[in-house]
Amino acid sequence: MSVPSAAPDASLVPAQALQRAVQLHQAGRAVEALPLYAQVLAAEPHNLAALYYGGVAAWTGGEAALALARLSSVVELSPQPVADAHYHRALALVALGRDDEAMAEYQRTITLKPGFAAAHNNLGGLLRQRHDYGAADAAFAAAMQADPALIDARYNRALTAMQRGDLGPARALLQDCLKRAPDHDGARATLVDVLNDLGERGEALTLARASAKRLPKSLAICNALGQMEDAAGNVDAARAAYRAGLAVDAGNATLTMNLAALESENANPDAARAVFDSALAVREHAGLRLRQATLLPSIPASEAAIDHARAAFVTALRDVAASGLRLDDPVNDFGDTPFYLSYHGRSDDRDVLAVLASTLRQCAPELVYTAPHVHTGPNAVAALRAGKRRIGVCSSFLFNHSVGRAMHAILAGIPRDEFDVHLFLLPPFRDDALARQMQAQSTVHRLPFDLHAAREIIAGVQPDLLLYPEIGMEALTYFLAHARLAPVQWNTLGHPCTSGLPTIDAYVSYAVLEPPGSEAHYSERLLRLDGLPFPDYPAEGITLPPPAAIARTRQSLRVPVEPPLLICPQSLFKLMPAFDDVLRQILDANPSAHLLLPEPTQSGQMAAIQARFANTLGAAASRVRFFGRRSRTEFIELIAACDVLLDPFPVGGGISTWDALAAGTPVVTCPGDHLRSRFAAAALVAAGASEVIASSVADYVRLVRDLLTDKALAYRLRERIATAAPAIYADRTAVEGWVRALRGACATPSPPSSAT
């Protein structure tokens, strides 16, 4: 049957006009029915049917104020309460941004009609927006009970579980969604995220690829596929996935940020800027503006390029602050940290990071947050409670990672009769032997990737002291650290740089790494502990070939067998252009030597550094080789098979230097004034091998030449370092220093001697 025209007709009586309007409405043409509803109401202002259906049609057409007026009249005039009128009134209130009133209307709807599944579901959505995840989950559960076929309620409950960090229930709910609605792209994309957060990357990648074949135009799935291909090291496939999504919506902020980050990580800053420009030409977005303003090169082309990038970074931040830009959700709208800033070797990191922090706190005032339990003043901790103090450790990397290997002995050494230790872990979660060891004596909280929910979980524990081992390495811990979640908050050397945050009270370092005056580099108070970093270093399971077998080892490791072999086992982003000149001098002075560098996970970084080497090393660039990723034992065997390990400057190795000690390979280093350049020197002093600590570039080059030409010297150093390594690994002086520092910070008296 054909549907009549929507044009008002003065010859129609109100009943006829209403009938025609309802026919249009039922045919999915509610907006076209609006003039007819208006015609009816002009004649009969209190016509309840015209007010109700006309209100629904107005909401459908985006006229929320008109919808609210008509539906309010229904509520006022109807002789009996009408649940559907309250429900649609709530929809109009949400459209007008009046969420408090909308929640009350949903509650009235549910009171009148307890089985109104959509009202439960929508109420849950508002509760989740307010980060009231417990109440939201209850609302979604009620919606599912009222209507098991309502997929949105099941999906929303899964999102809530994910935001609370309950990944197991989230996974089950999402899988159930897909059984009921296989083409639900949100459920597919979110399940990819959940699987990845659970550490099941292979399954996540398989699902993302299958989903992209099934739903190639879904923005959520294009983004999920791009993230998983990137995590798997498939740069071209990740790029293609992001671009497929942007072909559908060129202004999508999430796809834009991820594609631009991919280009930036692959040393294509111009391509990253172009991605931002394209999206911003379509749609304005505060987070994209800020991300574009704070781009830093992953592989800088020159020292001048570094200075230019840093100056532009600060200028852009000041411009952003002056512009009044606002971030509603700093993690999802911006979600970045200036990771590469700390590797440039400049002395103004503290000032630059302070500008970043103040700008972000101005753009996102919600970052300035103090947990309800936090007291201020000199006796803040002691005022909290009697009994054991609570130590919180918030980290993304408490597993077999450099941060985990640095922290495991410290966590194990905290006396549990004095302290309760709570680990706040961030996704994706890893389950390996070192992770299980650190978790065994602690209360574990798996945080969701949601700033408010994560903050709420930490504050709920009421820690007396909160330690962030690696502020600046990833976004969520950085943004959490903007808040005051404990009376005492510390940072330490998982990331060898100050935080620049006013909420971090102390940076915990070591006297052997901090020369006099280095406190000027920190926005925090500097704590210099005794002992060596990385106490009780995990060295088990390492077996090395004897020196006589090095040639055979080189052959098995597929590296050059005959010529002198140098290795610099640091991530390529640590190699600053100034160090290229040192490498050129070394290779020119030793024309048969080859240099081994690690392959990066991002292929663009290797292409960029090879292009730079072609200019800075000249013909010697042909003697630079790259080795692939390998197990820890194979990595140490490779170092053992080399003649000299080059510790770069101004940023040197940390954990990798401790790995290298077992190999005994002589290390040449040139320490500066900053923590980030002094790990190797501390290890060499402890090993009794300080003669390979250079005092200048010329001295560095000479030491390498001497080690390559004087085999007796090299052998003596190799024996001395390898012999000293076990004692360095086993040293626990630092653990005792940490415990003393914790007691002092928490005003906890030392236990009786019998307890120690």
Side-chain angles (χ1 to χ4, degrees):
M1 184 178 79
S2 62
V3 179
S5 167
D9 186 343
S11 66
L12 295 176
V13 298
Q16 292 172 319
L18 180 60
Q19 182 182 23
R20 187 176 294 180
V22 171
Q23 285 179 313
L24 283 165
H25 203 149
Q26 291 174 339
R29 296 162 62 184
V31 175
E32 296 177 50
L34 280 171
L36 289 169
Y37 286 127
Q39 180 181 340
V40 175
L41 290 169
E44 300 179 359
H46 294 169
N47 187 310
L48 286 174
L51 285 168
Y52 174 72
Y53 289 112
V56 174
W59 175 78
T60 303
E63 298 185 38
L66 177 60
L68 181 61
R70 289 176 174 175
L71 292 163
S72 296
S73 294
V74 173
V75 170
E76 293 168 7
L77 296 171
S78 178
Q80 297 291 332
V82 181
D84 284 50
H86 285 285
Y87 172 75
H88 283 94
R89 192 171 183 271
L91 294 177
L93 287 164
V94 169
L96 292 168
R98 294 160 62 178
D99 288 355
D100 287 343
E101 296 169 80
M103 290 175 67
E105 284 297 277
Y106 283 132
Q107 293 284 13
R108 292 188 189 100
T109 303
I110 292 165
T111 299
L112 293 169
K113 191 175 179 181
F116 202 135
H120 285 291
N121 183 59
N122 291 358
L123 175 61
L126 290 176
L127 289 165
R128 192 176 73 223
Q129 287 178 19
R130 295 182 172 212
H131 315 291
D132 189 349
Y133 297 114
D137 182 67
F140 295 134
M144 289 171 58
Q145 184 176 8
D147 182 4
L150 185 59
I151 295 298
D152 280 352
R154 199 172 304 273
Y155 175 58
N156 284 329
R157 196 176 187 199
L159 290 178
T160 304
M162 185 179 179
Q163 286 175 300
R164 297 172 78 180
D166 298 332
L167 297 183
R171 179 181 187 170
L173 285 162
L174 291 165
Q175 289 171 332
D176 193 23
C177 281
L178 294 179
K179 287 179 183 177
R180 297 166 182 266
D183 288 340
H184 194 301
D185 65 335
R188 284 180 171 270
T190 306
L191 183 54
V192 169
D193 288 341
V194 168
L195 291 169
N196 183 48
D197 287 351
L198 286 167
E200 299 179 19
R201 284 190 171 183
E203 187 175 347
L205 179 58
T206 298
L207 176 61
R209 288 173 174 171
S211 299
K213 289 180 180 178
R214 188 180 186 106
L215 301 168
K217 300 295 185 182
S218 164
L219 301 182
I221 288 173
C222 287
N223 185 63
L225 178 61
Q227 289 180 303
M228 294 315 306
E229 294 286 9
D230 187 13
N234 304 322
V235 174
D236 289 339
R239 185 181 287 117
Y242 292 137
R243 291 205 175 278
L246 289 170
V248 177
D249 179 6
N252 184 275
T254 301
L255 289 162
T256 297
M257 278 192 278
N258 287 338
L259 177 57
L262 179 75
E263 299 293 3
S264 179
E265 288 293 305
N266 278 277
N268 297 317
D270 291 340
R273 290 188 186 90
V275 171
F276 284 126
D277 286 339
S278 296
L280 288 167
V282 175
R283 190 177 305 129
E284 187 57 41
H285 187 276
L288 296 186
R289 287 286 178 198
L290 190 52
R291 286 285 286 268
Q292 185 180 44
T294 55
L295 273 177
L296 290 169
S298 59
I299 303 292
S302 66
E303 293 294 321
I306 293 174
D307 292 334
H308 175 78
R310 291 172 72 93
F313 183 92
V314 173
T315 299
L317 285 173
R318 288 175 174 153
D319 290 345
V320 164
S323 73
L325 180 146
R326 285 290 180 268
L327 294 174
D328 295 327
D329 181 348
V331 172
N332 289 305
D333 289 349
F334 177 63
D336 196 19
T337 63
F339 174 78
Y340 295 112
L341 196 77
S342 306
Y343 296 96
H344 292 157
R346 302 302 192 262
S347 294
D348 61 346
D349 289 347
R350 183 193 66 179
D351 298 334
V352 174
L353 288 167
V355 172
L356 174 66
S358 63
T359 302
L360 287 172
R361 291 160 80 85
Q362 177 179 319
C363 294
E366 66 172 294
L367 289 173
V368 183
Y369 170 84
T370 300
H373 77 285
V374 172
H375 300 270
T376 58
N379 298 314
V381 176
L384 284 177
R385 72 178 72 78
K388 290 194 288 186
R389 300 305 188 212
R390 294 176 187 169
I391 305 298
V393 183
C394 183
S395 174
S396 292
F397 304 108
L398 293 182
F399 56 93
N400 190 18
H401 177 278
S402 59
V403 173
R405 297 206 293 272
M407 292 299 301
H408 81 103
I410 295 163
L411 295 179
I414 298 174
R416 291 333 195 248
D417 59 337
E418 296 179 61
F419 300 97
D420 285 328
V421 178
H422 293 257
L423 304 184
F424 300 103
L425 308 181
L426 275 64
F429 305 114
R430 298 288 186 267
D431 181 27
D432 57 35
L434 196 58
R436 291 190 292 273
Q437 175 187 324
M438 285 186 280
Q439 295 172 24
Q441 292 182 290
S442 304
T443 303
V444 177
H445 309 266
R446 288 180 167 81
L447 301 182
F449 198 82
D450 178 277
L451 179 62
H452 293 86
R455 210 158 57 182
E456 184 177 280
I457 290 169
I458 296 172
V461 172
Q462 298 189 9
D464 300 307
L465 184 147
L466 184 57
L467 170 66
Y468 293 96
E470 75 276 348
I471 294 176
M473 283 185 65
E474 61 80 47
L476 184 53
T477 48
Y478 175 71
F479 286 113
L480 284 169
H482 275 264
R484 173 62 70 174
L485 300 175
V488 179
Q489 300 189 149
W490 287 356
N491 186 14
T492 192
L493 49 76
H495 190 50
C497 186
T498 184
S499 67
L501 296 174
T503 49
I504 303 301
D505 305 302
Y507 191 99
V508 185
S509 186
Y510 298 89
V512 295
L513 302 176
E514 302 287 354
S518 63
E519 59 273 5
H521 304 146
Y522 297 93
S523 59
E524 310 88 348
R525 179 169 60 95
L526 179 61
L527 297 182
R528 294 179 172 93
L529 302 185
D530 292 334
L532 293 167
F534 323 130
D536 198 13
Y537 190 70
E540 68 282 350
I542 299 172
T543 56
L544 296 170
I550 283 179
R552 185 178 72 252
T553 303
R554 288 185 179 186
Q555 191 170 26
S556 68
L557 293 171
R558 298 182 299 281
V559 297
V561 174
E562 294 299 332
L565 200 55
L566 309 169
I567 188 168
C568 183
Q570 302 303 320
S571 299
L572 299 186
F573 60 76
K574 286 187 178 181
L575 304 184
M576 292 299 103
F579 193 64
D580 291 5
D581 182 60
V582 183
L583 294 177
R584 182 189 58 76
Q585 292 184 52
I586 290 169
L587 291 170
D588 285 351
N590 303 277
S592 61
H594 284 66
L595 171 64
L596 295 182
L597 298 175
E599 289 180 0
T601 55
Q602 302 287 350
S603 58
Q605 291 188 12
M606 188 160 75
I609 207 157
Q610 285 176 316
R612 194 179 84 195
F613 283 167
N615 292 325
T616 58
L617 303 187
S622 63
R623 288 184 279 135
V624 178
R625 307 285 185 88
F626 295 86
F627 62 89
R629 297 179 69 84
R630 54 197 65 212
S631 72
R632 182 163 170 253
T633 297
E634 291 172 332
F635 174 69
I636 295 172
E637 286 179 350
L638 178 62
I639 294 173
C642 295
D643 297 290
V644 179
L645 187 149
L646 306 180
D647 188 50
F649 55 87
V651 181
I655 279 288
S656 59
T657 302
W658 256 244
D659 278 336
L661 294 175
T665 301
V667 179
V668 178
T669 188
C670 187
D673 295 332
H674 289 75
L675 156 76
R676 58 201 174 209
S677 69
R678 301 182 66 85
F679 290 95
L684 290 168
V685 169
S690 56
E691 62 262 47
V692 283
I693 300 174
S695 59
S696 65
V697 170
D699 196 30
Y700 191 104
V701 174
R702 177 191 62 78
L703 285 169
V704 174
R705 185 185 65 246
D706 289 351
L707 288 168
L708 292 180
T709 55
D710 188 340
K711 300 300 181 183
L713 170 64
Y715 185 82
R716 288 196 303 273
L717 279 168
R718 186 179 290 270
E719 279 201 325
R720 202 183 310 160
I721 293 171
T723 300
I728 293 173
Y729 288 151
D731 188 280
R732 292 179 55 82
T733 306
V735 175
E736 298 167 4
W738 272 92
V739 173
R740 284 194 298 272
L742 291 171
R743 285 174 180 153
C746 292
T748 305
S750 299
S753 58
S754 59
T756 59

